[in-house]
């Protein structure tokens, strides 16, 4: 496939990364760290979706919503006398301040100081060795021995009749509003939809979540989804699962979503509609089609275990590669893509996906690593389930966060951890112990034998290990011990 293209006798760069999000930034950082000559091309804002429209703004928004909600809870505890009010425009301005505070970490200045040539412009791949970069004032062609495609993804907009005519919000555009929607429909009950739905409801919006699947958070076990749904409904969020969006209508100045449920139509009026239906990889408009890069049926770029496309010197990582669309997974893939691009065929590494964690930052949070029960059943993997309820945890009780649970799947007759799910306050932090255990091969016995600070949420991991130990202790041995102790008493 490479024979069709003329290979330069020498190159401007060892590596060029296209895209300045998490995947591209980490690729460029690693390349510069090992003293390669590296360039990075970004046409918009450095930091990509994570900094500008995803992780950073959403977590700032969630934190503000929780602070406001906690003030309202304090009133119910009798700790304050008046209901607090919120200035939504100030909330959204705070989100922008947080983005601005994090932005220097991903800035062109920082990466130039690291030794990366940063181009502010659009890239077009004209051959496996050449990239045409068009900036504000100039156009140039750079040559490179290898390149990494890290162009990310964009929100998926479904072809719902009437949608384009009324306007809509996505996870990219929602941060531009300054007025709290009185009635908000959130289309999609995945992580983005759930996080934003709860936060908007806490600020006072009348929120309806419309999800086509039979549960929220389709990747999680049913008991996890049901638990979160009950929390949502308690906080005033209307959850409509198994509902399919059919059309958008506008009559007498009123906008409404027409949804189908069990053959019947339901009309849901709204002031704003937020699309949270996943993201689609950015694979068009910069030369991949003309070059012949192979695209998968899911719309991501096909690649092998080494993050290499059907061109031997073109690699891919991040959302455009899939299958996981997490910032931390993009950075994980970037290590393999950059190292393999720079050192193959002398040395190359297969990407390791054995331990991929994630969290949904609802309140309470949902964090998981490894297998869920549904995964184990679908893959016919035998397991033992251990569950610890956070209503028993002292720190959770002290903070009025005594709801949720820890679920651990282990191999039968073994303490080897196959997967763990935590539903509770700070679950995204607490699960780190299980991530380390699965990555480095230690089990529940080691966790049980490790001192955990009292009182902390992390103690839940030790207590879950204790539940496993109690359930797996051999009954015959306990009976003999009972007899031995009785004999020693005389």
């Amino acid at each position: 496939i490479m024979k069709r293209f003329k290979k330069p006798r020498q190159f401007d760069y060892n590596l060029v990364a296209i895209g300045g999000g998490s995947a591209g930034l980490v690729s460029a950082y690693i390349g510069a760290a090992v003293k390669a000559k590296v360039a990075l091309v970004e046409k918009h804002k450095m930091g990509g979706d994570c900094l500008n429209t995803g992780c950073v703004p959403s977590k700032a928004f969630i934190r503000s919503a929780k602070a406001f909600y906690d003030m309202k809870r304090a009133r119910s505890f009798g700790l304050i006398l008046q209901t607090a009010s919120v200035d939504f425009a100030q909330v959204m301005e705070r989100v922008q301040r947080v983005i601005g505070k994090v932005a220097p970490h991903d800035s062109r200045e920082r990466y130039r100081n690291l030794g990366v040539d940063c181009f502010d412009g659009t890239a077009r791949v004209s051959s496996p060795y050449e990239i045409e970069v068009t900036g504000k004032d100039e156009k140039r062609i750079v040559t490179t021995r290898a390149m990494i495609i890290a162009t990310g993804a964009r929100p998926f907009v479904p072809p719902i009749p009437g949608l384009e005519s009324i306007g809509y919000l996505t996870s990219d555009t929602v941060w531009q509003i300054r007025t709290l929607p009185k009635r908000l429909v959130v289309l999609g009950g995945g992580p983005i939809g759930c996080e934003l739905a709860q936060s908007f409801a806490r600020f006072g919006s009348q929120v309806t979540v419309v999800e086509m699947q039979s549960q929220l958070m389709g990747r999680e076990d049913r008991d996890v989804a049901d638990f979160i749904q009950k929390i949502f409904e308690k906080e005033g969020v209307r959850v409509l699962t198994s509902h399919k969006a059919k059309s958008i209508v506008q009559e007498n100045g009123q906008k409404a979503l027409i949804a189908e449920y069990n053959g019947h139509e339901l009309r849901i009026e709204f002031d704003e509609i937020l699309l949270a239906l996943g993201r689609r990889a950015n694979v068009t408009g910069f030369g991949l089609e003309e070059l012949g890069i192979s695209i998968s049926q899911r719309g991501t770029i096909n690649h092998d275990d080494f993050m290499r496309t059907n061109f031997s010197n073109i690699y891919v990582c991040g959302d455009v590669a899939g299958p996981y669309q997490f910032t931390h997974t993009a950075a994980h893939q970037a290590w393999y893509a950059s190292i393999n691009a720079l050192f193959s065929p002398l040395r190359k590494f297969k990407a390791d996906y054995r331990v991929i964690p994630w969290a949904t930052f609802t309140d309470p949070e949902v964090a998981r690593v490894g297998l869920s029960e549904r995964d184990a059943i679908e893959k016919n993997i035998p397991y033992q389930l251990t569950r610890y309820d956070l209503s028993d945890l002292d720190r959770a009780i002290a903070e009025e966060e005594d709801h949720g649970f820890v679920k651990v799947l282990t191999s039968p007759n073994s303490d080897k951890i196959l997967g763990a799910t935590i539903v509770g306050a700070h679950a995204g932090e607490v699960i780190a112990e299980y991530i380390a255990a699965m990555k480095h091969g230690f089990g529940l016995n080691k966790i049980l034998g490790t001192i955990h600070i009292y009182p902390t949420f992390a103690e839940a991991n030790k207590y879950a290990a204790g539940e496993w130990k109690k359930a797996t202790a051999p009954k015959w041995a306990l009976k003999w011990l009972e007899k031995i102790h009785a004999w020693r008493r005389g």
Side-chain angles (χ1 to χ4, degrees):
I1 198 170
M2 304 291 283
K3 290 180 180 178
R4 295 187 287 125
F5 304 94
K6 184 179 179 181
K7 185 177 181 180
R9 296 183 63 182
Q10 62 184 57
F11 300 95
D12 299 324
Y13 296 98
N14 298 99
L15 180 66
V16 174
I18 301 176
S22 175
L25 291 172
V26 173
S27 298
Y29 183 98
I30 291 172
V34 296
K35 302 305 179 184
K37 194 168 190 322
V38 180
L40 176 69
V41 186
E42 171 55 52
K43 67 178 181 179
H44 190 41
K45 295 179 179 179
M46 293 282 280
D49 297 324
C50 180
L51 170 63
N52 298 291
T53 60
C55 311
V56 172
S58 65
K59 301 314 162 278
F61 189 65
I62 289 167
R63 181 65 184 90
S64 294
K66 179 171 174 55
F68 183 65
Y69 181 71
D70 285 345
M71 289 179 68
K72 292 193 290 185
R73 287 178 68 196
R75 182 174 182 269
S76 70
F77 299 156
L79 300 178
I80 58 175
L81 298 178
Q82 295 181 345
T83 302
S85 60
V86 65
D87 184 333
F88 189 74
Q90 289 286 336
V91 170
M92 300 307 269
E93 288 303 321
R94 175 184 174 269
V95 169
Q96 295 304 317
R97 287 200 305 273
V98 170
I99 293 172
K101 195 170 183 178
V102 177
H105 302 170
D106 298 340
S107 66
R108 288 181 174 86
E109 290 74 20
R110 182 194 177 204
Y111 276 78
R112 283 170 180 148
N113 289 335
L114 292 171
V116 178
D117 287 349
C118 296
F119 294 108
D120 183 2
T122 59
R124 184 169 188 83
V125 181
S126 51
S127 89
Y129 310 110
E130 296 181 332
I131 300 172
E132 185 181 278
V133 180
T134 304
K136 295 177 181 178
D137 302 318
E138 65 172 343
K139 180 184 292 187
R140 61 181 296 182
I141 293 177
V142 298
T143 59
T144 180
R145 188 180 178 281
M147 70 179 74
I148 290 177
I149 308 297
T151 48
R154 65 193 182 281
F156 171 63
V157 179
I160 299 174
L163 180 63
E164 293 293 343
S165 64
I166 57 98
Y168 53 84
L169 299 172
T170 69
S171 58
D172 281 3
T173 62
V174 69
W175 313 113
Q176 298 168 11
I177 67 174
R178 293 297 180 269
T179 301
L180 181 70
K182 183 177 179 182
R183 298 168 302 176
L184 176 67
V185 166
V186 178
L187 204 55
I192 295 173
C194 285
E195 290 177 1
L196 294 180
Q198 185 181 36
S199 294
F200 272 101
R202 287 181 162 188
F203 284 126
S205 291
Q206 298 172 22
V207 179
T208 301
V209 178
V210 179
E211 169 55 53
M212 190 165 63
Q213 295 188 51
S214 62
Q215 67 171 65
L216 297 175
M217 299 183 184
R219 286 187 172 185
E220 308 298 343
D221 285 332
R222 169 68 73 168
D223 59 342
V224 173
D226 289 347
F227 188 93
I228 294 299
Q229 181 169 335
K230 288 177 182 177
I231 294 288
F232 279 16
E233 291 170 344
K234 182 180 177 182
E235 295 186 15
V237 178
R238 184 186 184 194
V239 178
L240 301 176
T241 54
S242 301
H243 283 66
K244 182 179 180 181
K246 297 290 289 184
S247 64
I248 304 289
V249 296
Q250 188 168 9
E251 301 169 348
N252 301 320
Q254 292 289 330
K255 295 180 283 189
L257 169 69
I258 306 301
E260 181 184 317
Y261 175 70
N262 284 343
H264 301 283
E265 288 190 347
L266 176 68
R267 178 187 175 97
I268 309 162
E269 293 188 349
F270 63 86
D271 299 304
E272 295 283 0
I273 186 167
L274 171 64
L275 307 183
L277 297 165
R279 300 177 68 80
R280 293 294 179 265
N282 294 320
V283 297
T284 60
F286 54 97
L288 300 191
E289 311 100 307
E290 294 84 351
L291 192 63
I293 292 286
S294 175
I295 307 298
S296 72
Q297 290 184 343
R298 296 181 58 187
T300 54
I301 296 177
N302 278 321
H303 58 278
D304 62 14
D305 293 339
F306 303 98
M307 309 308 300
R308 182 177 51 196
T309 69
N310 53 316
F311 285 79
S312 60
N313 70 327
I314 300 179
Y315 293 75
V316 61
C317 54
D319 288 359
V320 74
Y324 304 100
Q325 291 188 331
F326 307 127
T327 296
H328 50 278
T329 311
H332 180 69
Q333 291 178 330
W335 186 90
Y336 293 95
S338 56
I339 291 298
N340 290 336
L342 290 168
F343 296 106
S344 180
L346 302 177
R347 195 80 168 90
K348 58 183 181 179
F349 302 87
K350 289 185 177 181
D352 182 1
Y353 296 113
R354 289 175 296 175
V355 184
I356 300 294
W358 64 77
T360 300
F361 294 92
T362 48
D363 184 12
E365 295 176 1
V366 176
R368 178 150 76 89
V369 62
L371 295 177
S372 65
E373 285 191 82
R374 187 173 65 182
D375 290 340
I377 292 169
E378 289 176 352
K379 296 176 181 179
N380 199 28
I381 298 174
Y383 68 92
Q384 178 181 344
L385 175 65
T386 300
R387 183 178 174 119
Y388 172 73
D389 200 301
L390 294 181
S391 62
D392 183 63
L393 186 67
D394 290 0
R395 180 60 182 270
I397 294 170
E399 295 198 10
E400 299 276 354
E401 298 284 1
D402 48 334
H403 44 255
F405 52 85
V406 178
K407 290 202 309 182
V408 186
L409 275 62
T410 50
S411 297
N413 305 313
S414 168
D415 73 336
K416 180 183 178 182
I417 300 167
L418 301 176
T421 300
I422 302 177
V423 181
H426 310 291
E429 316 290 340
V430 176
I431 203 165
E433 191 166 20
Y434 292 114
I435 299 170
M438 292 185 67
K439 176 67 176 177
H440 299 290
F442 61 88
L444 291 181
N445 277 317
K446 291 288 179 66
I447 292 176
L448 182 61
T450 300
I451 297 173
H452 291 64
I453 296 171
Y454 177 88
T456 60
F457 284 95
E459 281 188 297
N461 296 338
K462 184 182 178 96
Y463 293 145
E467 292 294 319
W468 169 83
K469 194 71 171 179
K470 188 163 45 176
T472 56
K475 291 182 172 57
W476 64 267
L478 293 176
K479 287 181 179 178
W480 272 105
L481 286 173
E482 185 178 16
K483 291 180 180 180
I484 290 171
H485 289 309
W487 172 75
R488 294 191 72 184
R489 290 195 302 271

